[in-house]
Amino acid sequence: TWDIQKMLMVQDFETYQKARATFAQTVAELAARPQNINDLILQHVHEELEQLLDDPVPSIKMSATLALARVMSYSEELAEDVGRKREVIDIFVDLVNKSNAYEKKIGAYTLRSIAKHSIELAQVVLNAKGLEALKLCLDNDDTSVREIAASALAQLAKFNADQAQTLQQQGVIDKLVECIKRDHEENLKREALGCLIEIAKHNEGLADGVLRFGTLMVLEKLMVSPNVYVRRQSCACVAQIAKHTASLAHSVDETALPVLINCVKDPDRGVRKAAMTAIREIIKFDELANKINKLGNCGFLIKYISETSGSDRLPGIMALKHYAAAGKENAKAIIDAKGVYPLKEAFVSDPLIFTRAAAARAIGEIAKYSSEETAPLVEAGILENFLSEVRKLDEEQREEEENARRLEESRVRKGMKASGFKQDPLGQTKPMSKDCLLYTSPSPRDRG
């Protein structure tokens, strides 16, 4: 009898364990699809998952952690709720410190899902020593561990300069550059570049810190990588470094600019835009804009503007504007290359208002020097387009003012009607009843 009872008890425990495992795995699978997230949150599934984070069965613990990470990745509110529980964050950091590669990946992914939402949540991860744990992952033998660690570190760096500087002080930049140099895995290179971009974008000091480890030579090689995403990220990284000061732009222009010009001809649209953005950031400093002339002419800028539209066209127009602003000779070179016609087309018909505004500024930079530069613009009919746009804007403004006046009059009439007043034919307000005289007649003291 005792043996039977013991067997039944063991079966009950096994059933309970299987139920926990099934629950955690099912939620993890459901949370992988964004359309299920709201329903899972409404069922308070995160409360059940948190109870399984300390489960004695490792597979259940991992499934619960993964499920919770996926839900938090889509829900900032849930991430904030979990972020307030230091003991839960410590569980995730402990996973990153484990020796098992799978546990490291789950822990790093969970920290990433928390930190990605806000400065405060990124600081929660930093305060819990998450940075130190993730940095050690960059030395791991498993490429996928290094990849997810680099992605998580990017989330810690993206919000402000102070947090990004913390990564710099911990020696993260050096390790990221080493990962890019030694690994052949393209996904790892992409994530490491993404983290460098998030660090470099904040200020001159951090951008200079990214350059200190021979990063520029690495970026030049990656700009011709067979992987399209790596080419995009490497061009974007150059842009984030160069944008801060003329000194930094000069540091990258000598060798990177010719490669970037070639990238403008890349078959991938994203690479072309990233490369043009980097060129714009370099030549926005007057002393560097003339480097375009040494490498050929401005024809590639005009060609890019002619073949793009909307947000893709914007960096090309801004680059042409900076080029024209650097000197009268550059403005004349644009006119000689028939560059005013793509600018006119962008001003007249581009679907993005910011692009049209940039085209107007570029035209202004070309025309500002003398009548010699203005005459071709008049011949191209750009002046008429400008005047037409000004009239159109004036009409729209008058229409908005008229609509606002009518709305205000309507509100006043409704307010007077609600308070018991009406308008007489002369526009003077009269009380509608004798009761109103109580509020308008002077008191005996006033009459005296």
Side-chain angles (χ1 to χ4, degrees), residues 33-335:
R33 295 185 285 276
Q35 62 268 29
N36 296 329
I37 298 300
N38 287 336
D39 292 332
L40 291 173
I41 293 174
L42 290 175
Q43 295 299 323
H44 302 283
V45 72
H46 57 282
E47 297 175 1
E48 303 297 332
L49 292 172
E50 287 180 25
Q51 297 177 18
L52 299 177
L53 296 178
D54 281 327
D55 198 279
V57 181
S59 61
I60 296 176
K61 180 179 180 179
M62 290 298 97
S63 295
T65 305
L66 177 59
L68 186 58
R70 285 175 174 172
V71 178
M72 288 191 298
S73 183
Y74 290 104
S75 172
E76 182 177 353
E77 183 179 354
L78 178 56
E80 289 175 349
D81 181 62
V82 173
R84 287 190 286 266
K85 303 169 184 176
R86 179 59 184 267
E87 67 279 4
V88 177
I89 303 297
D90 288 339
I91 292 174
F92 302 147
V93 176
D94 288 341
L95 284 176
V96 181
N97 287 320
K98 296 288 187 181
S99 58
N100 181 276
Y102 181 69
E103 291 178 312
K104 283 180 175 293
K105 286 190 288 185
I106 296 296
Y109 175 68
T110 308
L111 294 180
R112 179 189 182 280
S113 298
I114 295 171
K116 66 181 281 189
H117 293 291
S118 66
I119 297 175
E120 293 76 18
L121 288 173
Q123 193 61 47
V124 165
V125 175
L126 290 171
N127 294 341
K129 307 297 182 183
L131 170 57
E132 291 79 355
L134 291 168
K135 184 185 76 169
L136 292 175
C137 288
L138 295 177
D139 294 322
N140 195 272
D141 294 333
D142 191 307
T143 303
S144 59
V145 172
R146 297 197 297 275
E147 180 186 331
I148 187 63
S151 179
L153 288 166
Q155 303 305 315
L156 296 178
K158 73 179 184 179
F159 289 108
N160 63 31
D162 291 337
Q163 291 174 341
Q165 190 169 13
T166 304
L167 271 70
Q168 182 191 30
Q169 292 169 349
Q170 289 290 329
V172 169
I173 296 175
D174 186 19
K175 290 185 178 294
L176 290 170
V177 176
E178 282 300 314
C179 284
I180 296 171
K181 286 179 179 179
R182 76 182 188 187
D183 278 284
H184 299 290
E185 179 57 47
E186 301 295 342
N187 288 337
L188 173 58
K189 291 180 181 180
R190 182 184 64 188
E191 297 298 344
L193 285 169
C195 189
L196 291 177
I197 290 169
E198 298 294 354
I199 294 172
K201 73 181 184 181
H202 292 291
N203 58 44
E204 178 187 0
L206 290 170
D208 184 59
V210 170
L211 275 180
R212 289 178 186 173
F213 300 97
T215 311
L216 184 58
M217 293 179 61
V218 176
L219 292 174
E220 290 169 15
K221 293 178 180 178
L222 295 179
M223 282 191 278
V224 294
S225 166
N227 186 286
V228 62
Y229 298 104
V230 172
R231 297 202 301 275
R232 288 182 190 177
Q233 292 287 71
S234 55
C235 291
C237 192
V238 172
Q240 295 300 330
I241 292 170
K243 73 178 185 179
H244 297 288
T245 64
S247 175
L248 284 170
H250 185 74
S251 298
V252 303
D253 81 298
E254 289 292 344
T255 53
L257 194 54
V259 185
L260 288 168
I261 292 174
N262 285 331
C263 287
V264 173
K265 306 169 188 175
D266 194 276
D268 179 74
R269 167 186 169 188
V271 174
R272 294 196 299 271
K273 181 179 179 181
M276 185 55 71
T277 301
I279 292 170
R280 178 196 69 191
E281 297 297 348
I282 292 172
I283 69 172
K284 71 181 180 182
F285 303 101
D286 288 350
E287 60 269 30
L288 298 176
N290 291 323
K291 293 290 181 71
I292 297 294
N293 297 327
K294 295 180 181 179
L295 297 171
N297 54 47
C298 62
F300 76 96
L301 295 174
I302 296 170
K303 186 173 185 293
Y304 178 85
I305 295 170
S306 303
E307 295 174 350
T308 54
S309 64
S311 61
D312 288 354
R313 179 187 267 170
L314 182 58
I317 291 177
M318 293 299 294
L320 199 64
K321 175 190 107 45
H322 296 314
Y323 176 75
K328 181 177 180 179
E329 295 77 11
N330 294 348
K332 190 174 186 306
I334 295 172
I335 293 171

